[in-house]
Amino acid sequence: MAHADTLAPGPARTFGRPTTATIMSLVLLALMTALVIAPLILLFRTSLTPAGELPFSTDVYTLDNYREALGNPRLPILIGNTLTYAFGSVTIGVTLAFAIAWLVERTDIGFKRSIRTMMFSWMAVPPIVMAFGWILLGNPGNGIINVILRSLFAMKGAPVSIYSMWAMVLITGFAIVPTAFTMIAGLLRNMDPQLESAGSVHGARPFSVFRRVTLPLLVPGLLSVGILLFMAMVQAFDLPLVIGLTARVPVLSTQIYLLAHSDVSRPDYSLTATFGTFFLVLALILILVYFRAVRLGERFRVVTGKAFRPNLKPLGGWHRLATAGVGFYFLVMMLPFLVLLWTSFLPFYSVPSMEALSRLTLENYQAVFSETRIVRALVNTILLVLASSTIVMVLSVMIAWISVRSKTRLGRLLEVISFAPMAIPPVVLAIAILLIYLRTPLYGTIGLIILAHVTAYIAFGTRTMNAALLQIHKELENAAFVCGAGWFTMLRRVIFPLLLPHILNGWLWVAGHSARDITFPLFLITTTNVVAASELYILWNTPEIPTAAALAVVLVSGLLCLVVPVQIFAARLGTERRKP
């Protein structure tokens, strides 16, 4: 019998396995090319199309759109606003996340498990829900904060305005703290404390150890986190759409949306594609900077194979103040949801008062579950979440196996193409998908949004599965092949069970982001493919604010009921798998 190692992927092997794997590699490569590369090619072709024309209906090429875009006096303003918004949000978010992560991972602060659970759970709250809640809190006319300040201090006008660049930056900064916390906490948890102990032994004070030992070791990792979040904020669409347009603070993502959804004229897809090309170039520059930062971080790796536990520093008299500070952050984060919860029980929005208590009603929730268009949006959302997350993870496992186990150019090419969506801004990808499927039967269906989410999230899925698959020795797969199992049988009976905790976590991430995403649903919207997020935006602008608040509460509650139990199950499953 052949040795197991001779069964590694490659041409001319036995059992028919290489043929199956090679065929699947080609099929997956063709699929990823159609999903990722084809829309981008059509996007670039559209940017060279004369104004008012579609790329399918003309063979004319022109640079007029680039001349118009580069000569537009608003372009420097758009780029400046985009970078200012991203930099300010990331600075606030990373600073707060680092402070809370330091308290949780490196001190004796209490309620650590509760803090971690709250941080993870809060990532399930859609940014658009947060934006609507903050509008009700800080609206210049009847926002709760302004009403309270005027009544307490006899102020006139609007003491606080939600419609400004800096309000948008502050809100976004608070919103990205949970994501930043998750990444930074891992850096702190995995850092060997021996170097800090060495500094203390040589007489350095705690602050000097932090400044001269701890912080330099963390800077590369923090830089990688900051750049990754900066990329996400440059591409952000939710809060700039809801708050930025009213505040007259346009960014690149909202400008592309306005060009593609003009209310007074036919959408200018040629100019839209041109701005999308600029946006794509900016994103590619940022991702190159990110990769450089990651490589720099590898030089500062201080985690070894030795078991260690970070030293927990006693807070002493600062314990209560630190706990109160973390509690205040969570209170601020809960305020937008609480005001939406309050509004969802009212026939019309009003500031909390004893008089308003007498008007509480369940009519808004009855409307959510009885009105045909809202029920259709909820059903579409369920289909979208289940289909997109399942397809992404199934494809990700197959692509990851081929990329990790195969040493061929085909496997490397498949890995590169599957990672490409990470560098494509969602609004750019949405426009590209809209253009390529505009005249197909898929346009106007929920299937098109599912396809868009699969394209957008496949990069995350493959990255997650690649990392997990590297921890599994190929001897287990070779043993299955020796016993006569085919490629699909090996994946189903060996790989899927071993990767199940990672698959569940990846499935949850895709499901949560699919349910909360508003970019693709708004760009691809028709009367038949409305989902909860896009219906929420429509209700808010109608305006049917109490009904929109009720739908927001239902959406958040549904996400929490899905994410939290499955995440707990995946964590327990992973713990059991690690037991000897």
Side-chain angles (χ1 to χ4, degrees), residues 389-411:
S389 53
T390 302
I391 294 172
V392 164
M393 296 317 299
V394 170
L395 290 176
S396 295
V397 171
M398 292 191 291
I399 292 172
W401 189 89
I402 293 170
S403 302
V404 172
R405 295 293 189 247
S406 173
K407 305 301 181 183
T408 63
R409 293 180 180 178
L410 186 63

Side-chain angles (χ1 to χ4, degrees), residues 105-428:
E105 301 297 336
R106 305 306 298 271
T107 74
D108 61 349
I109 193 173
F111 309 104
K112 292 187 178 184
R113 181 174 298 179
S114 299
I115 293 173
R116 292 190 184 104
T117 302
M118 285 285 290
M119 284 293 188
F120 183 85
S121 301
W122 211 250
M123 287 191 289
V125 180
I128 191 172
V129 172
M130 296 285 290
F132 291 153
W134 278 111
I135 289 174
L136 295 180
L137 285 167
N139 188 51
N142 57 356
I144 294 176
I145 295 176
N146 283 314
V147 171
I148 292 175
L149 290 177
R150 283 196 293 261
S151 62
L152 290 178
F153 303 104
M155 294 181 175
K156 296 182 179 180
V160 175
S161 177
I162 199 71
Y163 299 116
S164 68
M165 166 65 83
W166 299 113
M168 195 165 66
V169 165
L170 186 62
I171 293 169
T172 307
F174 272 70
I176 65 174
V177 166
T179 303
F181 170 88
T182 303
M183 294 185 282
I184 295 173
L187 295 175
L188 294 169
R189 191 181 308 121
N190 294 327
M191 195 180 75
D192 194 334
Q194 292 181 1
L195 296 174
E196 296 174 307
S197 299
S200 300
V201 167
H202 285 81
R205 295 183 177 182
F207 181 74
S208 297
V209 172
F210 176 80
R211 182 173 58 87
R212 304 188 65 178
V213 178
T214 307
L215 196 57
L217 292 174
L218 290 174
V219 162
L222 292 175
L223 182 63
S224 298
V225 172
I227 294 174
L228 186 62
L229 291 173
F230 185 82
M231 289 168 50
M233 291 303 99
V234 164
Q235 301 171 13
F237 177 67
D238 313 70
L239 283 165
L241 173 70
V242 176
I243 297 177
L245 289 185
T246 305
R248 297 183 179 179
V249 184
V251 295
L252 280 170
S253 59
T254 54
Q255 179 66 20
I256 292 173
Y257 175 75
L258 292 176
L259 287 172
H261 293 80
S262 176
D263 294 331
V264 297
S265 62
R266 182 180 177 180
D268 192 343
Y269 290 122
S270 301
L271 193 58
T272 301
T274 304
F275 274 99
T277 304
F278 291 157
F279 205 178
L280 180 61
V281 171
L282 176 60
L284 289 173
I285 293 172
L286 291 175
I287 202 166
L288 291 176
V289 174
Y290 170 71
F291 283 139
R292 185 175 181 84
V294 170
R295 286 196 296 270
L296 177 64
E298 292 294 322
R299 303 176 187 176
F300 290 79
R301 186 185 297 274
V302 293
V303 179
T304 66
K306 301 177 181 179
F308 62 83
R309 184 183 299 273
N311 298 323
L312 297 182
K313 296 176 171 46
L315 290 173
W318 295 94
H319 194 282
R320 291 184 178 179
L321 182 61
T323 304
V326 176
F328 178 75
Y329 165 76
F330 285 119
L331 175 62
V332 171
M333 289 293 288
M334 289 179 65
L335 282 176
F337 181 73
L338 291 177
V339 71
L340 285 173
L341 181 63
W342 163 260
T343 305
S344 69
F345 290 105
L346 295 172
F348 54 88
Y349 168 73
S350 61
V351 176
S353 64
M354 295 303 297
E355 179 186 358
L357 282 173
S358 63
R359 298 194 296 268
L360 296 183
T361 177
L362 292 174
E363 290 182 359
N364 298 311
Y365 289 95
Q366 293 173 356
V368 167
F369 294 107
S370 62
E371 292 191 14
T372 303
R373 73 177 194 278
I374 302 179
V375 172
R376 184 191 299 122
L378 291 174
V379 172
N380 284 342
T381 302
I382 295 173
L383 293 174
L384 173 65
V385 168
L386 294 178
S388 59
S389 53
T390 302
I391 294 172
V392 164
M393 296 317 299
V394 170
L395 290 176
S396 295
V397 171
M398 292 191 291
I399 292 172
W401 189 89
I402 293 170
S403 302
V404 172
R405 295 293 189 247
S406 173
K407 305 301 181 183
T408 63
R409 293 180 180 178
L410 186 63
R412 289 194 292 270
L413 181 60
L414 183 59
E415 182 180 12
V416 170
I417 294 178
S418 65
F419 184 73
M422 187 72 74
I424 306 173
V427 292
V428 175

